[in-house]
Amino acid sequence: MIIRPRRLRRTPTIREMVRETTLSVKDFIFPLFVKYGDDEKDPIPSMPGQYQFSVDSIVKETEEIWSLGIPAIILFGLPDKKDAVGSRSYAEDGVVQRAISAIKDRIPEIVVMTDVCLCEYTDHGHCGVIKDNMVDNDATLEILTRQAVSHARAGADFVAPSDMMDGRVAAIRKGLDENNFHDTGILSYAVKYASAFYGPFREAADSAPQFGDRSGYQMDPPNALEAIKEALLDMEEGADMIMVKPALSYLDIVRRVREECLLPLAAYNVSGEYAMVKAAEQNGWIDGTRVMMEVLFSIKRAGADLILTYFAKDAARILNSKVR
Ligand code: PBG
């Protein structure tokens, strides 16, 4: 007798019934870049379909994202000026702070998350302040905390520190609580590798380091135990959700962190992962839509609860069209 697994693959409806992994628009967090200006929407060449938005146009974009059923966005800012300590990162009239309140005014229910990091705001492009040619951990914590509190004040639901300084989750939690933002959550980029997959993002956010690289603070790609250590540390420090980043070359890490850690787990399907699919699609080498869905399912199957992805709108359209 032959055992016949193919019976469960015979029709689309049967396949749907026995599908082990679900993907929903509710899993998505859409990353958006905001800049100064009026009615602007500048294409990002290395990320086809993605834009830098001015505050007014990001509100329109967010309305569309919300109408597709996507529950959350995460904001990255392009400041008007950069300096050595990233002081525009915590300005009350900063571009992210303005965008948060404009979006919350229009769509109060959408979950607004913000990237907390200095690399977009420093003239040297590092994620913290420099002392003796190194990023100074503890001096950076103070500025990150001010940035996080300013985002909370503008109405952010979650702040998402991506700087990889030690102790930043505890410092930010303390700062938020001292300012009575007990309900503002922290999505920590707990496990963030020093990855070349961030290349297109650094063009989009104008945040490439002007000297050296980020290996002194972001994680070494061959490490896995360290990922669990970082995740557990951030949980102890008070993170509400944690993240693994990038996603695709680190799906083993997503799985291991999912098993070791009790918090909701996000994975960041980063700019380089997006750009590779888009470039191959534009060359006619792959079916970009099918690859996109396969990528997103793989991240869910690995164990992520949430996915930060530039594909969110395209994938939402496909998922929404499947409702009978
Ligand atoms: C740092 C930050 C980076 C990304 C998100 N937050 C870049 C970096 O660490 O150099 C990368 C996201 C992506 O590649 O899509 N603020």
Side-chain angles (χ1 to χ4, degrees), residues 43-232:
I44 302 166
S46 56
M47 300 172 71
Q50 304 302 314
Y51 303 85
Q52 297 172 339
F53 296 97
S54 54
V55 172
D56 51 349
S57 65
I58 213 170
V59 174
K60 280 187 224 137
E61 177 72 7
T62 307
E63 283 181 318
E64 189 189 339
I65 291 167
W66 179 247
S67 72
L68 286 166
I70 297 166
I73 57 168
I74 181 164
L75 296 174
F76 297 91
L78 292 124
D80 44 355
K81 319 189 262 293
K82 298 176 189 254
D83 61 25
V85 296
S87 50
R88 293 298 288 164
S89 68
Y90 53 81
E92 213 168 294
D93 63 344
V95 73
V96 167
Q97 289 81 354
R98 284 191 197 174
I100 299 165
S101 53
I103 291 165
K104 277 290 183 181
D105 272 353
R106 190 73 64 84
I107 320 161
E109 307 98 308
I110 196 163
V111 171
V112 174
M113 301 181 159
T114 57
D115 189 76
V116 168
C117 189
L118 300 188
C119 63
E120 293 118 76
Y121 302 92
T122 52
D123 48 17
H124 46 72
H126 276 287
C127 301
V129 297
I130 305 290
K131 219 182 257 171
D132 302 330
N133 258 4
M134 290 267 290
V135 172
D136 185 273
N137 194 86
D138 298 11
T140 302
L141 294 184
E142 235 171 89
I143 306 175
L144 293 170
T145 303
R146 289 176 76 166
Q147 186 185 7
V149 169
S150 76
H151 291 172
R153 188 165 288 127
D157 297 288
F158 286 85
V159 293
S162 68
D163 51 282
M164 288 302 275
M165 296 303 116
D166 293 333
R168 92 296 190 148
V169 172
I172 290 171
R173 185 68 270 159
K174 184 161 167 274
L176 290 172
D177 289 348
E178 282 171 359
N179 287 279
N180 275 322
F181 295 115
H182 302 285
D183 292 333
T184 308
I186 300 177
L187 162 60
S188 174
Y189 288 67
V191 181
K192 179 173 178 182
Y193 287 91
S195 170
F197 283 100
Y198 308 148
F201 173 96
R202 291 183 187 169
E203 181 195 348
D206 186 25
S207 67
Q210 301 302 303
F211 67 90
D213 59 27
R214 304 212 201 289
S215 338
Y217 40 103
Q218 298 180 347
M219 283 178 54
D220 197 21
N223 291 358
L225 288 174
E226 193 187 1
I228 298 166
K229 179 171 82 179
E230 285 282 6
L232 294 178

